[in-house]
Amino acid sequence: MSGFDGFPREAIGFFRQLARHNNREWFQAHKDMYERACREPMKQLIAALGADPASTKITRINRDLRFSRDKSPYRTYIAAGVRGSYVSLSTAGLYVGAGIYEPEPAALERFRDAIDDKASGAALQRIVTSLKRKGYQVDTHERLTSAPRGYAKDHPRIELLRMKDIFAGKVLAPDASLSSPRALSRIKRVMSDVRPLMDWLRKHVGSRQ
């Protein structure tokens, strides 16, 4: 497998066209472009980041339609989890980030306990503030409308306590640099910047179970 030289411009074009023609006939006619411009570069990126593409889960292009109202058969992005980070290519560009997604009740309790704790909670607040100052999005997939049960509404870190999970990252625009070897250094920079959040989560929450 050759080195990672960025995602070809055709990858963005492929997903743009797939969004317009999300059907089996169109995909089968352009499947080779998906493999060449999207899937192979993702494998190369995984290898360049020090992981094994063969054992790294990459999203399948086919969607599971069994419980979905949206019957579009194909995903309009490709994503993978790599060494604790998440990368996802779509028409918007390449999202790079990390965090914890929908933790189970026990892990959510550990998360909230660590936020509530004066020392670990303050440490997380500093991490979040620093990332936002650097231009990163720090958010949650679901937020309570008020304080979780057992916590005061005027808690000094109430905004963090209302989060049911947390992630941080940014989108690298689909410009010329994303289609060049320079993309790798940009991706690594994001991963380095969000690492303090991952380190905090590993120390105070552990797994999502």
Side-chain angles (χ1 to χ4, degrees), residues 102-126:
E102 294 186 349
E104 299 293 333
L108 179 58
E109 184 176 355
R110 294 194 300 272
F111 178 53
R112 288 173 175 165
D113 285 346
I115 294 172
D116 183 45
D117 180 82
K118 186 175 181 179
S120 56
L124 178 60
Q125 187 66 72
R126 287 192 296 271

Side-chain angles (χ1 to χ4, degrees), residues 2 17 67 70 80 84 93 98 104 110 113-114 116 119 130 134 141 181 185 201 203:
S2 61
Q17 290 298 314
F67 308 107
D70 179 4
E104 299 293 333
R110 294 194 300 272
D113 285 346
D116 183 45
S130 175
K134 293 177 180 178
H141 296 94
S185 62
L201 288 168
K203 179 178 180 180

Side-chain angles (χ1 to χ4, degrees), residues 35-62:
E35 294 291 341
R36 175 178 55 81
C38 305
R39 191 168 177 83
E40 284 305 312
M42 181 63 80
K43 291 180 180 179
Q44 293 164 3
L45 173 58
I46 291 168
L49 292 172
D52 180 5
S55 59
T56 299
K57 183 177 180 181
I58 301 175
T59 53
R60 296 175 67 250
I61 190 69
N62 300 82

Side-chain angles (χ1 to χ4, degrees), residues 61-203:
I61 190 69
N62 300 82
R63 297 179 62 245
D64 184 350
L65 306 180
R66 290 175 299 173
F67 308 107
S68 176
R69 292 183 179 180
D70 179 4
K71 298 304 179 183
S72 302
Y74 303 108
R75 292 185 173 91
T76 54
Y77 67 92
I78 185 170
V82 190
R83 301 178 67 88
S85 294
Y86 175 79
V87 293
S88 176
L89 182 74
S90 69
T91 56
L94 183 71
Y95 176 83
V96 184
I100 188 169
Y101 178 67
E102 294 186 349
E104 299 293 333
L108 179 58
E109 184 176 355
R110 294 194 300 272
F111 178 53
R112 288 173 175 165
D113 285 346
I115 294 172
D116 183 45
D117 180 82
K118 186 175 181 179
S120 56
L124 178 60
Q125 187 66 72
R126 287 192 296 271
I127 292 168
V128 169
T129 299
S130 175
L131 286 170
K132 287 183 175 180
R133 285 175 178 169
K134 293 177 180 178
Y136 287 90
Q137 176 195 23
V138 183
D139 209 343
T140 181
H141 296 94
E142 187 177 356
R143 181 179 281 103
L144 296 176
T145 57
S146 186
R149 183 177 300 177
Y151 296 94
K153 293 181 179 180
D154 60 350
H155 192 285
R157 291 175 292 281
I158 187 60
E159 292 305 313
L160 291 174
L161 282 170
R162 289 173 56 220
M163 293 180 169
K164 298 190 74 172
D165 59 17
I166 190 171
F167 63 87
K170 67 169 51 174
V171 176
L172 304 181
D175 55 21
S177 65
L178 190 59
S179 300
S180 76
R182 289 179 292 164
L184 183 59
S185 62
R186 297 178 67 199
I187 293 165
K188 288 182 175 180
R189 175 61 183 271
V190 175
M191 290 181 170
S192 176
D193 284 347
V194 300
R195 188 168 296 128
L197 174 62
M198 288 307 300
D199 291 342
W200 187 94
L201 288 168
R202 289 191 188 98
K203 179 178 180 180

